[in-house]
Amino acid sequence: MKVKEIVRILDARILCGEDMQEYTVEKAFASDLMSDVLMLADDNVLLITGLVNMQTIRTAEMSDILCVVLARNKKASREMIDLARDGGIILIECRYSVYQTCGLLYREGLKPIF
Amino acid sequence: MRIVVPGRVETHILSGMTERMHFEHNIVGGDFTRAGYASSQVKKALKTLDVDMAIIKRTVVATYEAEVNVVAHACNGMMIVDIDGSTIQVVIQDEGPGIEDVEQAMVEGFSTASSEVREMGFGAGMGLSNMKKNADSLHIESEPGKGTKVEILMALDGREEVRSKK
Ligand SMILES: Nc1ncnc2c1ncn2[C@@H]1O[C@H](COP(=O)(O)OP(=O)(O)OP(=O)(O)O)[C@@H](O)[C@H]1O
Ligand SMILES: [Mg+2]
């Protein structure tokens, strides 16, 4: 699923990486536990999370996750956005809960990792 | 007489570099806003050296887990990185409380993380086993009351070589 479709489905806001909206994620994973995210071996994963801090971005950077959706209407800080931009990560904010975010994307065909 | 060692040529092509690289970064215990900075520098360096993406990911996931452990459980840390044509060696050492029983700490799910650490998204007790999964070779030395030293070794030319070298 392309990033631009994710943005449309979630009626979301792109904070950085607007120019990478053609990027395609293959699967999605939702977690607030970065320990779990770091154990994923898959590529082209979308991360959906309600944890909004610097470690969210750092974890995505180390795991080669290029697109992160911040759910629960949480706002990213300036530092988070700068770090994401620096790491080539597309950062998206959306107002839905994690459950609703996952449900909407799943219904449109985005598959889970497991 | 010339002895041709299989795999050697591939080593040179893959590494594509002859110069060595050495750098060091401080890791401040308790400072979660900066946790990951050192690993991020490692990632950038490996990218400029054109290291295989899969190897970069395994390397930085392992170093990041170790870096976060210093921030979460210890203090006065240091990451020391040495890269040559065939291996990446990363040492993460700290002057924290040390680990009483390393074998027990390695068990998935074992964690002494504080509630603050858990609120940051860590503390599942998975870090050490994930480091072992991703590193080609992992060596942990720890002395209670003194500190911990973690050594991560990665082969640039395939996992087996570094394992048998050890
Ligand atoms: N550098 C260190 N100094 C002191 N204790 C440590 C250090 N690294 C690990 N430990 C101890 O080993 C335990 C297990 O570490 P591990 O990284 O596997 O899990 P965690 O850090 O608790 O959680 P996670 O890594 O899943 O976020 C820790 O809870 C801590 O007690
Ligand atoms: Mg850990």
Side-chain angles (χ1 to χ4, degrees):
Chain A
M1 182 179 281
K2 286 192 176 178
V3 170
K4 64 178 180 194
E5 292 172 61
I6 294 169
V7 172
R8 180 183 53 79
I9 293 163
L10 299 178
D11 189 18
R13 202 161 78 90
I14 292 204
L15 302 172
C16 68
E18 299 87 347
D19 52 332
M20 295 187 281
Q21 290 190 58
E22 293 296 320
Y23 171 67
T24 302
V25 297
E26 282 165 32
K27 289 170 180 175
F29 186 73
S31 182
D32 288 352
L33 192 58
M34 296 302 111
S35 311
D36 275 357
V37 177
L38 285 165
M39 306 225 318
L40 304 176
D42 304 63
D43 290 322
N44 300 317
V45 171
L46 173 75
L47 174 63
I48 299 156
T49 185
L51 183 87
V52 179
N53 62 33
M54 291 292 270
Q55 296 320 302
T56 310
I57 312 298
R58 283 291 187 207
T59 300
E61 180 190 356
M62 302 309 154
S63 309
D64 285 341
I65 291 174
L66 298 185
C67 189
V68 178
V69 172
L70 306 175
R72 301 167 61 208
N73 212 12
K74 291 275 180 179
K75 300 288 171 229
S77 67
R78 186 81 255 153
E79 290 77 24
M80 282 177 65
I81 298 170
D82 289 344
L83 193 62
R85 188 177 290 117
D86 185 53
I89 293 164
I90 308 160
L91 197 55
I92 298 170
E93 268 175 7
C94 94
R95 64 176 187 279
Y96 299 121
S97 67
V98 171
Y99 180 69
Q100 175 83 338
T101 303
C102 295
L104 289 169
L105 294 175
Y106 189 88
R107 191 177 63 185
E108 297 290 327
L110 185 57
K111 291 279 173 269
I113 293 181
F114 61 87
Chain B
M1 193 173 79
R2 222 168 71 91
I3 302 168
V4 179
V5 184
R8 222 55 222 165
V9 175
E10 201 185 58
T11 303
H12 289 294
I13 296 168
L14 265 177
S15 57
M17 58 180 183
T18 44
E19 86 263 45
R20 286 159 185 276
M21 234 188 196
H22 173 93
F23 50 91
E24 300 180 2
H25 288 286
N26 287 326
I27 306 168
V28 183
D31 185 0
F32 263 100
T33 59
R34 289 196 37 100
Y37 177 80
S39 298
S40 183
Q41 298 309 111
V42 174
K43 183 168 185 176
K44 284 180 179 140
L46 295 179
K47 268 187 170 172
T48 62
L49 294 172
D50 257 338
V51 172
D52 178 74
M53 286 299 284
I55 295 177
I56 296 182
K57 179 171 166 180
R58 286 197 289 113
T59 306
V60 300
V61 164
T63 67
Y64 180 58
E65 291 276 18
E67 190 178 351
V68 170
N69 275 355
V70 174
V71 175
H73 311 295
C75 53
N76 291 343
M78 181 82 127
M79 184 183 289
I80 304 150
V81 185
D82 280 284
I83 307 165
D84 65 23
S86 63
T87 47
I88 307 165
Q89 185 205 44
V90 185
V91 173
I92 299 100
Q93 56 192 38
D94 65 63
E95 293 167 7
I99 303 170
E100 202 78 51
D101 182 344
V102 174
E103 217 170 296
Q104 179 191 40
M106 293 288 306
V107 174
E108 290 186 2
F110 177 87
S111 176
T112 62
S114 63
S115 54
E116 285 83 3
V117 169
R118 286 171 207 270
E119 274 161 30
M120 297 306 296
F122 294 94
M126 300 303 290
L128 290 173
S129 54
N130 199 28
M131 278 155 65
K132 193 176 172 122
K133 193 180 93 191
N134 283 284
D136 287 340
S137 160
L138 176 72
H139 189 71
I140 301 170
E141 272 171 52
S142 192
E143 202 178 320
K146 282 244 170 84
T148 302
K149 181 178 166 185
V150 174
E151 186 202 47
I152 294 161
L153 272 181
M154 305 298 294
L156 289 170
D157 46 0
R159 202 174 256 250
E160 289 314 314
E161 193 168 323
V162 121
R163 287 233 160 110
S164 53
K165 248 190 227 164
K166 277 292 283 185

